[in-house]
């Protein structure tokens, strides 16, 4: 009698029959039913639990499936919102601003899964505007506004006080600042953004001055000479003395000539 050993290699789960047969012509045989059980996945994970991207950026998520010798290591990828993030075999693409969850799930019936929260932001943009609006003359000349957005998208302007400084649009991309009465107005330049760029705004104060205002009269050789309207000289004052004079309202209401400029104190 001969006792033989048969070595079997289990390739895939399933049922098969192992048959042993004589070769001496007697055609004797024996069989053994073999059932190969699958090795199920016990855990699945992603290397990242969260991810931040800008619109149109891409990233790669890698899923780790254990054990290494699991019979079925195929995984299925899904996105909770494909308008925010699309997924293709682990390749992530940011489609639009928002938040979505990428989920990877086992396909062997164990229903194990892992997920990654993806936040997609719009690209930032900046306003470029180097104009000084603090020295505008009352009812003075129009000033062309030169602000621009780094994105190249069109911008708009708004004034908090149209009586002081109004915005005059000429066409779609040409704007002028129109000085009015003396005072201060907040000028806002804004770009509302789009699917790709985030909105942005910038503010500046426009200060409109009355050139004949007592506080705005320029000094002559560092001094101020004041006359009444009848030609009586009241005196010549240094800058510090003049500042104190008008600051403490020592001049009574009426008309004066200061450094040759007619001024009314109300």
């Amino acid at each position: 009698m001969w006792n033989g050993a048969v070595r079997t290699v289990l390739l895939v789960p399933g049922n098969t029959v192992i048959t042993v047969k004589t070769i001496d012509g007697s055609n004797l045989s024996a069989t053994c039913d073999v059932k190969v059980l699958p090795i199920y996945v016990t855990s699945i994970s992603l290397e990242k639990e969260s991810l931040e991207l800008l619109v149109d950026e891409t990233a790669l998520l890698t899923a780790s499936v254990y054990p290494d010798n699991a019979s079925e290591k195929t995984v299925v990828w899904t996105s909770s919102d494909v308008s925010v993030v699309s997924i293709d075999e682990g390749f992530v693409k940011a489609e639009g601003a928002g938040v979505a969850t990428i989920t990877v799930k086992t396909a062997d019936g164990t229903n194990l899964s892992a997920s990654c929260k993806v936040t997609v932001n719009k690209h930032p943009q900046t306003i470029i505007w180097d104009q000084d609006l603090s020295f505008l003359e009352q009812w003075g000349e129009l000033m062309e506004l030169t602000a621009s957005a780094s994105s190249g998208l069109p911008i708009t302007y708004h004034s908090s006080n149209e009586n002081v400084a109004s915005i005059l649009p000429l066409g779609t991309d040409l704007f002028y600042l129109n000085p009015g009465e003396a005072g201060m107005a907040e000028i806002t330049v804004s770009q509302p953004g789009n699917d790709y760029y985030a909105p942005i705004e910038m503010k500046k104060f426009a200060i409109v001055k009355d050139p004949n205002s007592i506080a705005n009269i320029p000094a002559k050789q560092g001094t101020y000479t004041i006359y009444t309207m009848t030609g009586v000289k009241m005196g010549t004052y240094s800058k510090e003395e003049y500042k104190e004079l008008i600051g403490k309202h020592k001049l009574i209401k009426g008309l004066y000539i200061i450094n040759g400029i007619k001024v009314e104190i109300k």
Side-chain angles (χ1 to χ4, degrees):
M1 180 181 290
W2 175 80
N3 291 323
V6 178
R7 183 184 177 211
T8 60
V9 179
L10 307 180
L11 298 176
V12 294
N15 297 316
T16 191
V17 176
I18 302 296
T19 301
V20 60
K21 188 176 181 180
T22 61
I23 59 173
D24 62 354
S26 60
N27 291 325
L28 298 175
S29 65
T31 61
C32 176
D33 292 329
V34 179
K35 184 178 183 179
V36 181
L37 298 175
I39 300 174
Y40 291 106
V41 176
T42 58
S43 69
I44 184 172
S45 63
L46 290 170
E47 82 278 20
K48 295 178 181 178
E49 294 183 352
S50 63
L51 186 62
E52 249 186 80
L53 298 172
L54 295 174
V55 174
D56 278 351
E57 284 188 335
T58 59
L60 177 64
L61 289 176
T62 302
S64 299
V65 177
Y66 299 98
D68 290 337
N69 63 340
S71 301
E72 176 61 85
K73 299 180 72 173
T74 303
V75 294
V76 178
W77 297 88
T78 57
S79 170
S80 64
D81 190 341
V82 293
S83 68
V84 175
V85 175
S86 60
I87 183 75
D88 182 15
E89 298 300 324
F91 289 94
V92 180
K93 182 179 180 183
E95 303 289 353
V99 179
T101 300
I102 297 297
T103 301
V104 60
K105 188 175 180 181
T106 56
D108 65 351
T110 56
N111 289 325
L112 299 176
S113 65
S115 61
C116 175
K117 179 183 177 182
V118 183
T119 302
V120 178
N121 298 309
K122 295 181 180 182
H123 291 255
Q125 58 175 326
T126 57
I127 295 291
I128 304 152
W129 193 17
D130 59 2
Q131 286 179 295
D132 187 355
L133 308 182
S134 60
F135 296 98
L136 303 177
E137 186 174 318
Q138 183 181 31
W139 313 114
E141 296 182 356
L142 298 177
M143 172 187 282
E144 182 179 349
L145 296 171
T146 60
S148 63
S150 60
S151 62
L153 295 173
I155 58 175
T156 58
Y157 295 88
H158 172 75
S159 171
S160 64
N161 190 336
E162 293 284 334
N163 293 325
V164 172
S166 59
I167 306 299
L168 181 62
L170 297 178
T172 57
D173 57 359
L174 185 59
F175 297 87
Y176 284 87
L177 188 66
N178 185 21
E181 64 188 36
M184 184 168 61
E186 187 177 61
I187 307 300
T188 302
V189 57
S190 59
Q191 208 303 306
N194 57 16
D195 290 342
Y196 188 85
Y197 285 105
I200 186 70
E201 69 175 23
M202 183 178 182
K203 299 177 183 290
K204 286 189 177 188
F205 284 103
I207 301 175
V208 179
K209 298 179 179 180
D210 180 356
N212 293 326
S213 168
I214 188 171
N216 296 327
I217 294 175
K220 284 187 176 181
Q221 296 181 343
T223 62
Y224 294 86
T225 301
I226 303 176
Y227 289 87
T228 67
M229 289 302 294
T230 58
V232 177
K233 182 178 180 180
M234 297 180 58
T236 298
Y237 306 89
S238 67
K239 289 183 178 180
E240 292 74 17
E241 291 171 334
Y242 181 73
K243 184 176 180 180
E244 181 181 2
L245 185 69
I246 64 174
K248 294 186 177 181
H249 305 289
K250 292 183 178 181
L251 293 176
I252 62 173
K253 295 179 180 180
L255 294 173
Y256 298 86
I257 297 176
I258 303 175
N259 285 355
I261 299 174
K262 181 180 177 182
V263 177
E264 181 179 7
I265 299 178
K266 300 179 180 180

